[in-house]
Amino acid sequence: MMDPSSLVESVAQLIAETTSLDGLHDVQVELLGKRSALVAARREVGELPGPERPAAGQRLQAVREEIEGLLAQRRAELEEDQRRGRLGGDRLDLTEVVTGARRGRLHLVQRTRDELEDVFVGMGFVVVEGPEVETDWYNFEALNMPPAHPARGMWDTLYLELGEPETVLLRTHTSPVQIRLMQAQGPPIYAVMPGRCYRRDTPDARHIPVFHQVEGLVIDHGISFAELAGTIETFTTSYFGPHTHSRLRPSYFPFTEPSAEFEVTCSICKGKGCRTCSHTGWVELGGCGMVDPEVFAAVGIDPEEWTGFAFGFGIDRLAQMRHVIADMRILLENDVRFLRQL
Ligand code: PHE
């Protein structure tokens, strides 16, 4: 007959090494089931001489109870493990610090545009927008540039559709919005027209093929060049501060007569002269002039009754000047280190 104490020892080890409830069930069948050594031993007890049976039977019963105790204990442990695992999986740590989505910010060009609008709205202008895809008529012809006019060479154009009767292109400046506004509404007009423009330019430190302009148009009775110069000076001092001034230099545009380029004090050297302004102390911002009578004729406004001025300048260039950005191409590069610091 088997030795009960060595049996209990090996059984205890077997049970302790079982790591799952299913496994424990199998062990239980093996140890206490019909085909177990214990059941076989009980049969042997029946074959013992009568006086020995009770003691042998009691020993066997004690072994059985001990095994049952070990099994119950291990089952409780495994059940507790399982419960803890479930709780751990479901656990929500309310003390955990979650870094939420960072707040974005407006692009520098958009912010510059917003500030410009504020300045002009403060001066009594309204803000108007026009389409970025234009016909040849709005972008050139109505602005006193008939087909094949050499002045068209001043704007390197991206065409979407070539040919008659209406060639379609990406606008090269915001000036076509002047035409749309004059058509939609008669004078008096005091408006600025900001927006995106396109030119077939090779990108460099001061040019990007997709850029932004703000156009200005004033039409009223008795508007003269003095109002134009005064408006530009008022705008530059309120945008750049009292140390910046503007000046006008004679120039040529087909849609204004007389025409001028306007320049501001170089913000980098405060007008003393530096590399950025080619040692002149001035930086060119855009063009302007008195609205040409040919333009009035294209939209049916009487040039004997009304006069006006127009201007247009680059928003990106303005932002570049004010924030001292060496290379304009960084505006389009999506470099978050640049975008975040602004
Ligand atoms: N449209 C011109 C340009 O893009 C600028 C301009 C606007 C000049 C209005 C005169 C009057 O170069």
Side-chain angles (χ1 to χ4, degrees):
M1 194 173 163
M2 64 179 186
D3 170 9
S5 63
S6 73
L7 175 75
V8 167
E9 218 168 274
S10 62
V11 160
Q13 197 180 346
L14 182 66
I15 291 172
E17 283 168 3
T18 307
T19 53
S20 73
L21 286 166
D22 284 349
L24 196 67
H25 177 77
D26 295 344
V27 168
Q28 178 171 355
V29 170
E30 191 188 323
L31 294 176
L32 305 177
K34 281 193 201 105
R35 277 184 230 125
S36 63
L38 211 62
V39 169
R42 205 166 44 209
R43 260 179 251 121
E44 285 172 30
V45 169
E47 287 157 21
L48 287 174
E52 292 177 26
R53 279 184 219 162
Q58 275 166 18
R59 259 185 285 135
L60 270 187
Q61 186 55 28
V63 169
R64 187 181 181 89
E65 281 169 11
E66 195 159 353
I67 293 175
E68 280 172 348
L70 289 169
L71 283 168
Q73 193 188 336
R74 185 67 185 138
R75 187 175 305 113
E77 283 169 13
L78 289 174
E79 279 170 356
E80 177 63 12
D81 283 356
Q82 198 178 55
R83 198 177 68 88
R84 267 181 223 232
R86 247 196 334 259
L87 280 181
D90 291 348
R91 190 155 154 229
L92 190 65
D93 182 358
L94 295 175
T95 65
E96 194 179 0
V97 178
V98 182
T99 47
R102 207 175 290 162
R103 219 172 144 176
R105 61 190 76 193
L106 293 175
H107 190 276
L108 175 63
V109 172
Q110 182 62 46
R111 285 216 336 241
T112 308
R113 175 180 160 165
D114 290 347
E115 284 174 41
L116 280 173
E117 286 180 14
D118 284 351
V119 169
F120 281 108
V121 167
M123 291 164 72
F125 286 64
V126 295
V127 180
V128 180
E129 282 183 274
E132 292 171 26
V133 173
E134 272 296 7
T135 60
D136 184 277
W137 191 80
Y138 281 103
N139 196 81
F140 290 125
E141 258 187 82
L143 290 164
N144 197 24
M145 281 178 277
H149 191 286
R152 289 184 176 211
M154 288 162 72
W155 294 274
D156 272 333
T157 313
L158 291 157
Y159 288 94
L160 299 176
E161 246 171 60
L162 266 178
E164 299 294 326
E166 290 214 307
T167 300
V168 180
L169 46 85
L170 293 173
R171 69 178 178 193
T172 58
H173 49 183
T174 42
S175 299
V177 193
Q178 286 186 39
I179 305 297
R180 291 184 176 274
L181 183 59
M182 287 188 273
Q183 281 181 328
Q185 148 197 346
I189 293 173
Y190 291 82
V192 283
M193 297 145 263
R196 200 175 286 137
C197 304
Y198 305 81
R199 286 185 201 175
R200 203 175 48 79
D201 280 342
T202 304
D204 65 26
R206 281 183 305 127
H207 297 89
I208 41 181
V210 181
F211 61 105
H212 302 78
Q213 282 190 340
V214 61
E215 192 84 8
L217 179 67
V218 168
I219 303 173
D220 209 334
H221 292 292
I223 295 291
S224 75
F225 207 94
E227 273 85 28
L228 168 58
T231 302
I232 286 178
E233 178 70 13
T234 309
F235 148 70
T236 40
T237 44
S238 46
Y239 183 73
F240 285 104
H243 302 297
T244 303
H245 295 286
S246 62
R247 73 173 183 183
L248 299 173
R249 277 199 319 167
S251 184
Y252 169 74
F253 295 100
F255 34 93
T256 46
E257 180 61 34
S259 303
E261 263 162 18
F262 71 92
E263 302 181 328
V264 291
T265 320
C266 177
S267 64
I268 291 149
C269 62
K270 305 263 183 297
K272 286 194 204 79
C274 68
R275 261 208 352 234
T276 308
C277 59
S278 308
H279 305 282
T280 60
W282 299 93
V283 172
E284 188 207 319
L285 276 189
C288 60
M290 301 307 291
V291 178
D292 193 293
E294 289 294 326
V295 174
F296 280 146
V299 292
I301 291 178
D302 179 2
E304 298 300 323
E305 185 184 351
W306 304 97
T307 50
F309 65 78
F311 59 82
F313 55 85
I315 299 178
D316 316 72
R317 180 74 62 80
L318 205 71
Q320 181 182 27
M321 273 308 300
R322 184 147 126 182
H323 297 273
V324 198
I325 298 165
D327 193 317
M328 196 190 268
R329 284 171 287 193
I330 197 159
L331 292 173
L332 297 182
E333 276 170 7
N334 273 348
D335 184 337
V336 288
R337 293 167 303 177
F338 169 75
L339 298 171
R340 248 188 227 135
Q341 68 178 338
L342 298 168

